[in-house]
Amino acid sequence: ALTVPALRTDRPEEIAFTTALARLHVHGIPVDWAALHTGPARHPVDLPTYAFHHRRYWLAPGAPAG
């Protein structure tokens, strides 16, 4: 038997429930991910295409700050 906590006091409900579904999925339990994502449409997010593409988000030394 596999037990997975769906609600935890140390995490927000959305995170705890999604983590529980992910753990079930990893253990081979089929999860209907499409049913989870029903509701208002979300905007797609651009993800990096290459995992090791280094991109700096810090200002260059000596650059004027906004």
Side-chain angles (χ1 to χ4, degrees):
L2 173 68
T3 59
V4 178
L7 295 176
R8 299 185 52 145
T9 58
D10 60 338
R11 296 182 189 160
E13 289 181 9
E14 296 85 8
I15 304 252
F17 186 71
T18 306
T19 303
L21 289 176
R23 290 184 69 191
L24 290 171
H25 176 75
V26 167
H27 285 288
I29 307 298
V31 176
D32 186 5
W33 293 108
L36 179 67
H37 295 290
T38 59
R42 306 268 191 232
H43 298 288
V45 177
D46 290 330
L47 297 175
T49 56
Y50 181 63
F52 301 102
H53 180 75
H54 298 285
R55 185 173 178 187
R56 295 183 160 259
Y57 293 97
W58 299 101
L59 293 175

